[in-house]
Structures are given as C-alpha cells and as structure tokens.
Amino acid sequence: MKIFLTGGSGFIGRELCTSLRQRDCEITVLSRTPDAARKLLGPMCDVVDTPDAVAGSDYDVVINLAGVPIADRRWSAARKSALFESRVELTRQLVDAIGRRARRPALLLSASAIGYYGDQGERWVDEDTTPRAEYTHQLCAAWEQAAYGAQAHGVRVCVLRLGLVIGSGGGFLGRLVPLFKLGLGGRLGDGQQWMSWIHRQDVLRMIHYLIDHETLQGAFNATSPRPVRNSEFTRVLARQLSRPAAVPVPAAALQLAMGEMSGLLLTGQRVAPARLLEAGFEFRFEQLEDALGETLAAK
C-alpha cells in the first residue's frame, strides 16, 4: 500500500510512520523542512516539500495530520492566520492535487479536533452534537469542509476529531510532566472542566482501523470513552509521579497570560467516541491511570 502523509515528523506522525512500515507500506511524507524530516525519519520514508506531489504518483491512502501547534502561544491575528494556513489551506491544496490524478486514492483520512464542538459544559458530546460557534469550531469546521471536498473526486473521507493525545516523547504531557516533577503542578481554574483524552497507540490503531474498514466514512471522535475532569487528571498524574499537586493556576492568571487561547484550558468537552464504538473498535487504553502509567514508564 502506498501512503502519502502530512505531519509525518510530528508527535503522532512519526509513530504512525513506524506502524505503517510494519505493514510494509511505502510512505511519502510531506514536510516544510524536508532535511530535518529526513534526518528524523531516516530511510523508512521518502520526503517531499510540496502537496502537489500527491498528483505525481498513485497513492492508495492520503493521511493529513499537518498543522502548527494550536496551544503554544497567544492567538494573535498572525497566529490565527498560521493556524488556518497550515490546516485549511494545506488540505485544500491536497484535495486539489488529488483531483488532478486519473487514479485517485481510495481514502483521505484527515485530522480535526474536538475543539470542533466548542465549549459544551456538562453535556455528553457525540458526533451529532450541535457545535457552539466559537473560534475553535470555526477553524475545525473549515478544516473538515476542505477535506470533504475530496468526495467530489470519488474519494472516501474520514475525519478524526482528536482529543488530548497522551504519549511519550512530547505532546501536552511533555510540557506538564517537568512542572509536576518540580512540585509545581495543580488544577487549572476550578478544575471542573472536562478533559477528553486518548492514548497515542489508540490513535494509531484507529487510523489502521479506518483504512481497513472501507465502509466507514465521515467524522469520528478520537477520544477514550472515559473522559475526566481537570482536577481528576491532575490528581492521577501527580500520584503517578509521586508528587504533590498543590499549585493551582487561577483562571484569571491564565486569561491574562494567554488571552482568548485560555479557553482551551478552562473549558472543555465531555466527548464519547460513539461512531467508533458502534463500528466495533476496541480501545487498548480506556482508563486514564493505565494510559499515564504506560506513557510515564516509557519515558
């Protein structure tokens, strides 16, 4: 199977490359920094620097994981432009290149995020939940709409709405764990906001599942069936690290430091992966304790 992958050198992408190679897939990775990607990924992948490369070969599957980090700095106008460009515009370019092929890929699998739903408070959220019209919804909705453009070319489209991804070697835990080890961890705001998380291994397994099950299409929530409140996440992580979690961060401080982006940390969604469960997908990591335990042991 020939795979074209964007975001291949990222937190999910580099592990996905390894798992795809274990299935004897031929992988081409799109990167804005091809020399760095070649150094990181080694000989298991070819690396190109333009999405037009999709039009140059008969790929069976296109996997689109690219996007600059959404939570690493304040959302200035320039940052919002970069977020849009790296997600929506790149996806449009991929779909345009797909449309120029006589033989189109069977599947476009594109990332999105549970930010699609906006702040949902206490209610359970599934793929049919009406979103709240705020910035993260607008960004994700445009991202998904761009991916669904491939349907006009006869391509099956699956969208993964990712929650907080837990794994070793980076991600949001890569920023949290050093603070907790120093005894500086604590809940955010009142700690009552929901955190819908997923282990990276289950993300990889979902991607393989959607590739293999050719009748599945549309949007899928990529989260564990057992979300937790921020206070519970904080307590479990602190216990796993044998550290206190006695330094809460007031909501006002986050709002002052991060502006609009603080909403990502102070609000949340209680997400259920309803469509994947209905399709028969089985999680390896349902419980937060198991996911954090495996990840921290891997460090």
Side-chain angles (χ1 to χ4, degrees):
M1 185 181 295
K2 295 183 68 173
I3 308 286
F4 188 92
L5 172 63
T6 76
S9 56
F11 178 62
I12 296 172
R14 61 180 181 262
E15 296 297 319
L16 179 60
C17 286
T18 299
S19 68
L20 289 170
R21 285 297 296 157
Q22 290 171 349
R23 293 181 56 168
D24 294 324
C25 295
E26 299 177 30
I27 310 166
T28 299
V29 169
L30 172 66
S31 176
R32 294 170 296 165
T33 54
D35 290 341
R38 290 187 186 99
K39 184 176 180 180
L40 177 66
L41 298 172
M44 66 177 171
C45 303
D46 293 327
V47 180
V48 297
D49 62 1
T50 172
D52 286 340
V54 172
S57 186
D58 290 335
Y59 294 102
D60 300 295
V61 175
V62 176
I63 303 174
N64 180 30
L65 303 179
V68 299
I70 195 168
D72 67 340
R73 65 187 70 176
R74 290 176 69 100
W75 290 343
S76 64
R79 189 59 177 175
K80 285 185 175 181
S81 178
L83 292 171
F84 187 94
E85 184 81 14
S86 66
R87 288 166 171 77
V88 183
E89 187 56 36
L90 174 60
T91 304
R92 288 173 179 168
Q93 292 172 10
L94 286 173
V95 170
D96 179 68
I98 287 169
R100 297 202 300 273
R101 287 293 308 171
R103 178 183 177 275
R104 277 75 181 262
L107 169 66
L108 169 61
L109 195 158
S110 190
S112 180
I114 59 172
Y116 173 88
Y117 301 106
D119 178 18
Q120 293 289 333
E122 290 297 304
R123 68 189 294 193
W124 276 100
V125 174
D126 64 21
E127 290 85 354
D128 294 325
T129 297
T130 300
R132 181 178 176 181
E134 55 190 60
Y135 175 68
T136 55
H137 166 70
Q138 294 162 0
L139 177 63
C140 291
W143 194 5
E144 294 183 16
Q145 183 179 19
Y148 286 128
Q151 292 175 328
H153 304 306
V155 177
R156 177 169 67 103
V157 176
C158 293
V159 169
L160 272 182
R161 293 175 180 161
L162 291 158
L164 292 165
V165 181
I166 292 174
S168 60
F172 78 103
L173 273 187
R175 297 188 293 272
L176 278 184
V177 168
L179 293 174
F180 274 72
K181 285 184 173 179
L182 291 172
L184 299 176
R187 71 176 190 274
L188 303 178
D190 64 9
Q192 293 303 295
Q193 64 273 35
W194 287 97
M195 296 179 67
S196 292
W197 60 272
I198 185 169
H199 194 288
R200 182 171 54 186
Q201 288 185 23
D202 279 329
V203 176
L204 303 184
R205 294 175 60 249
M206 284 179 181
I207 290 172
H208 288 289
Y209 197 84
L210 292 173
I211 290 173
D212 294 339
H213 289 72
E214 298 177 0
T215 61
L216 298 178
Q217 59 184 324
F220 299 86
N221 291 335
T223 61
S224 161
R226 299 180 183 275
V228 298
R229 296 187 188 275
N230 173 258
S231 57
E232 173 69 3
F233 186 96
T234 299
R235 182 185 65 80
V236 174
L237 179 57
R239 188 175 67 231
Q240 293 272 359
L241 293 170
S242 300
R243 295 290 190 275
V247 189
V249 183
L254 286 170
Q255 291 162 348
L256 181 63
M258 299 180 177
E260 182 184 5
M261 196 191 76
S262 64
L264 286 179
L265 304 177
L266 296 172
T267 64
Q269 304 86 13
R270 192 183 188 188
V271 177
R275 295 196 64 218
L276 277 162
L277 291 175
E278 290 168 3
F281 180 82
E282 296 181 358
F283 284 81
R284 185 167 295 165
F285 295 95
E286 285 196 17
Q287 300 286 351
L288 179 64
E289 291 87 346
D290 296 334
L292 288 177
E294 190 280 338
T295 297
L296 295 172
K299 287 180 177 295

